[in-house]
Amino acid sequence: MGKIQRICRKTPVFATFSTRTFLNLPDFSGVLSNFGTEGLWGRIRQLSPLHPPPCHPKFGPMSKGVTPRSHDYARWYTDVVQKAELADYGPVRGTMVIRPYGYAIWEAIKEAYDQRFRATGHSNAYFPLLIPKSYMSREAEHVEGFAKECAVVTHSRLRAADEGGVEVDPESKLEEELILRPTSETVIWAMYKQWINSYRDLPILINQWANIVRWELRTRLFLRTTEFLWQEGHTAHATEAEAREETLRILNIYREVAEQEMALSVVAGLKSDAEKFAGAVETWSIEAMMGDRRALQAGTSHFLGQNFAKAFDVTFRNEANEEDYVWATSWGVSTRLVGAVVMAHGDDKGLRLPPRIAPIQVVIVPIYKDESKVAVMEAARQLTGSLENAGLRVQLDDRDTVTPGFKFNDWEMKGVPVRIEIGPKDVAAKQVVLVRRDVEGKSTLGLDQVIQELPPLLDEIQDCLFKQAQAFRSTHTRQIVDWEEFREFMEWGGFAICGWDGDPASETAIKEKTKATIRTILEDQEPTDLACIYSGKPAKHTVVLARAY
RNA sequence: CGGAACGUGGCGCAGCCCGGUAGCGCACUUGACUGGGGGUCAAGGGGUCGCGGGUUCAAAUCCCGCCGUUCCGACCA
């Protein structure tokens, strides 16, 4: 019996989810049939090899200055991130400047998570960036995971150099060197030791939004940078059951926001020992499929057991007046999610943003000649105002220095879900031209209907992007029992559902031979008659295998 | 940390072999015409050719050293 069922029995809160819904397991039949629009579905069905389909020739094959996705996916990604003004490279290798538009997307994602954390009883706090080096030796396993990528602070000041400029002042060498946090477990648990004495002090449910530093060798904007922004939750509990419940509650929030706000289709499950966080007993994650069919870990939730409590000697008196170690969890999502949204939804024309996290949901492009400018701008301003009053994030593009055609491409690059064009003909006919970013084609709409029609249209776009992502993942997910077929499938890319004998040696061999890793163990799928994809021995687990970022 | 390539106006590049006035596209500025899918024409501004040394009457170009960046492999969210 899988772990979730065990927990469900002890903790009624999970009884409300079916395990299938909870884990969002691949469902090979459901996604297709409940997708309503037949014409659109026809188009999605043909997706290959990349999702979404290449742009319609009528609208131009691709965007200027952006490498087509099918040609070079990695370059396409970098081009789009920069062209859409999400981020730029910082002066130090591996660092990134998140530009206002990219940061606005992150803020929307952040807000969606923050609300849910608060709603489930968590509070935000802030712990220091600098950590004494000695803290890293307290938890051996955890150190092993991060030691290789810790930036170390050794001195406290500079001085003027003889040749001009500055140099490190050797006099200022620190007695104890400091590290820049690669994650905050150690500082936080040092504090929890001081705060926790009794079961009455528990649980502690703290989250922090912070920057962290991991000295990465190979970096990519958003996906892996030396410094990045994230959220790290750290909770302390009196019982194992409570901590386990917390781990899954958060995992569920991660899945929910990914699906509902970011329109990502994810698989949730347990990590293998090789892939789990070094200090954890269990690591759970959500895995999303990117447009090149590779997996991206989009959030992790760790059940830490009593590992950190023991390392930092955090004990408490329970209700029976016995001394016990505290049970713990930690969990995080990062700015990597912005990259996930780009890679999951983008096309050759640029970004496609789900309305709920789009900084601008509707852009209005006025079209005029000198003599019609006043009337058109007046109508455009009125429309902008009333959409703002309706609570939509709307922008009137009144730039007079670029042509309408340029604006169309510009906003498509930036992924704005809906564009409204309004010109002299439209003003005369009391209508507007409406263009969706998620599907091709233009339509017209009566000016007086816009306010009423737009909110449901945004919902529909949100839903359509999610359905496209689901269909894409479903199409590229396959149950495989034959090794050769598996090898070929991994060359092509996608999620393979396979048996695994549970042996780390098999896992390593699979990785060496195919570059695929166990993305997640499907905890509630009993591999009764499955054999291990590699060894052929009876499978202990059903796993999702894929190449990953 | 191994393998490959590249450093020339803000960005992308040519010039380098065969040394001799630093060029092209985009972007930028001004003006006119334009404006329903990345406009046209005209006139402009902007570069110690990554850094240091050497060879030479003369170096972006040849030689040596250094620095930096990007791409591909081992580590990671």
Side-chain angles (χ1 to χ4, degrees):
Chain A
M1 175 160 301
K3 286 190 173 103
I4 290 182
Q5 277 111 333
R6 283 207 307 272
I7 293 158
C8 286
R9 218 183 280 149
K10 286 182 198 164
T11 57
V13 60
F14 280 99
T16 49
F17 316 121
S18 83
T19 40
R20 175 162 289 276
T21 311
F22 177 74
L23 285 174
N24 188 33
L25 295 174
D27 179 344
F28 304 106
S29 58
V31 181
L32 310 190
S33 55
N34 66 22
F35 195 73
T37 321
E38 197 53 45
L40 183 56
W41 174 235
R43 213 174 305 152
I44 290 166
R45 198 186 291 272
Q46 299 163 12
L47 300 178
S48 74
L50 291 170
H51 150 86
C55 300
H56 194 286
K58 184 178 156 192
F59 295 91
M62 70 195 76
S63 208
K64 261 187 201 165
V66 173
T67 310
R69 283 167 32 117
S70 53
H71 179 249
D72 182 340
Y73 194 82
R75 275 189 59 188
W76 166 83
Y77 173 79
T78 314
D79 288 350
V80 167
V81 166
Q82 288 178 91
K83 281 263 176 186
E85 299 180 348
L86 300 186
D88 214 337
Y89 293 101
V92 174
R93 182 194 158 78
T95 62
M96 146 176 89
V97 176
I98 305 176
R99 302 182 64 176
Y101 193 64
Y103 198 77
I105 296 171
W106 170 240
E107 284 180 311
I109 294 169
K110 181 180 172 184
E111 183 58 32
Y113 279 113
D114 206 53
Q115 271 177 15
R116 285 165 176 81
F117 296 153
R118 291 171 192 279
T120 46
H122 303 84
S123 305
N124 287 331
Y126 187 80
F127 294 84
L129 169 70
L130 295 170
I131 299 176
K133 196 180 72 179
S134 59
Y135 278 30
M136 288 302 282
S137 53
R138 295 200 186 178
E139 215 286 340
E141 275 191 90
H142 165 256
V143 170
E144 215 172 294
F146 291 113
K148 281 170 284 185
E149 44 189 24
C150 282
V152 185
V153 179
T154 56
H155 292 77
S156 68
R157 63 174 178 262
L158 299 173
R159 66 180 185 189
D162 294 339
E163 323 82 57
V166 289
E167 62 184 10
V168 170
D169 183 351
E171 299 288 303
S172 71
K173 189 161 168 45
L174 299 178
E175 254 176 59
E176 174 165 17
E177 294 175 337
L178 306 172
I179 60 165
L180 301 181
R181 62 179 163 222
T183 179
S184 300
E185 268 82 359
T186 55
V187 219
I188 289 179
W189 279 90
M191 297 313 296
Y192 282 5
K193 178 179 167 59
Q194 296 178 39
W195 298 343
I196 298 169
N197 294 301
S198 152
Y199 71 92
R200 294 190 177 95
D201 300 323
L202 297 171
I204 294 182
L205 305 174
I206 287 181
N207 176 59
Q208 84 165 341
W209 292 94
N211 60 333
I212 65 172
V213 172
R214 293 179 191 173
W215 213 261
E216 298 287 350
L217 303 174
R218 249 170 93 61
T219 60
R220 289 186 69 189
L221 294 172
F222 288 112
L223 300 179
R224 185 179 301 115
T225 48
T226 293
E227 178 187 4
F228 60 92
L229 303 182
W230 78 345
Q231 148 282 307
E232 49 179 324
H234 297 273
T235 67
H237 306 266
T239 65
E240 174 176 3
E242 209 183 284
R244 285 187 179 277
E245 182 189 326
E246 169 77 1
T247 308
L248 293 182
R249 176 182 295 120
I250 296 297
L251 186 71
N252 194 47
I253 289 174
Y254 285 172
R255 182 192 57 74
E256 186 181 294
V257 172
E259 291 179 352
Q260 295 178 4
E261 308 289 328
M262 292 182 275
L264 300 173
S265 173
V266 299
V267 190
L270 186 64
K271 284 292 188 185
S272 67
D273 279 354
E275 298 282 327
K276 78 176 168 71
F277 171 53
V281 175
E282 283 177 357
T283 292
W284 296 75
S285 77
I286 55 170
E287 303 280 329
M289 187 186 285
M290 300 295 98
D292 59 354
R293 302 174 300 279
R294 286 170 71 181
L296 182 80
Q297 185 170 303
T300 52
S301 183
H302 312 290
F303 169 63
L304 301 175
Q306 294 174 310
N307 289 354
F308 279 89
K310 285 175 180 166
F312 286 84
D313 192 32
V314 185
T315 58
F316 72 108
R317 284 280 158 181
N318 64 21
E319 287 178 69
N321 196 27
E322 297 158 344
E323 189 90 349
D324 196 6
Y325 286 109
V326 172
W327 296 85
T329 78
S330 71
W331 26 276
V333 295
S334 73
T335 36
R336 166 177 264 198
L337 289 172
V338 177
V341 169
V342 175
M343 288 203 292
H345 300 305
D347 64 17
D348 281 348
K349 291 195 290 187
L351 297 178
R352 298 194 308 163
L353 292 178
R356 294 210 184 105
I357 57 163
I360 300 167
Q361 296 169 310
V362 183
V363 65
I364 297 176
V365 178
I367 295 149
Y368 49 77
K369 304 186 188 211
D370 281 345
E371 67 272 18
S372 53
K373 182 172 179 179
V374 173
V376 167
M377 283 309 295
E378 174 58 23
R381 283 207 185 89
Q382 267 186 25
L383 184 59
T384 306
S386 48
L387 286 170
E388 275 170 353
N389 289 338
L392 301 184
R393 297 189 286 274
V394 54
Q395 177 152 329
L396 171 61
D397 187 350
D398 58 0
R399 284 178 292 178
D400 213 8
T401 50
V402 291
T403 62
F406 181 90
K407 292 177 184 179
F408 297 165
N409 289 287
D410 193 32
W411 293 113
E412 279 163 3
M413 176 60 62
K414 289 190 167 162
V416 174
V418 174
R419 177 173 80 243
I420 291 176
E421 305 171 13
I422 181 163
K425 293 177 219 162
D426 303 308
V427 172
K430 291 189 168 28
Q431 66 171 33
V432 297
V433 173
L434 205 67
V435 187
R436 291 169 61 159
R437 184 65 180 84
D438 59 326
V439 293
E440 299 292 359
K442 295 187 178 189
S443 58
T444 56
L445 186 64
L447 198 51
D448 55 352
Q449 291 174 287
V450 175
I451 298 298
Q452 197 188 338
E453 293 295 324
L454 235 58
L457 177 65
L458 288 172
D459 287 343
E460 192 185 326
I461 292 171
Q462 179 85 28
D463 194 48
C464 179
L465 284 171
F466 182 48
K467 293 257 167 60
Q468 287 184 32
Q470 277 184 318
F472 183 74
R473 176 162 72 83
S474 178
T475 303
H476 298 291
T477 299
R478 197 192 294 174
Q479 183 139 20
I480 299 179
V481 295
D482 177 65
W483 172 253
E484 275 311 311
E485 184 188 350
F486 172 71
R487 281 177 70 138
E488 273 175 42
F489 187 67
M490 285 299 110
E491 286 301 317
W492 165 250
F495 287 4
I497 313 285
C498 302
W500 174 46
D501 59 13
D503 186 346
S506 306
E507 189 180 7
T508 309
I510 291 168
K511 186 175 179 182
E512 277 170 9
K513 291 178 195 298
T514 66
K515 292 180 190 159
T517 50
I518 296 177
R519 301 319 303 157
T520 198
I521 298 168
L522 301 175
E523 272 282 295
D524 72 342
Q525 290 202 348
E526 289 297 323
T528 36
D529 50 358
L530 269 181
C532 175
I533 186 70
Y534 179 72
S535 69
K537 293 176 195 163
K540 284 194 186 139
H541 303 287
T542 307
V543 299
V544 176
L545 282 155
R547 289 184 183 170
Y549 277 95

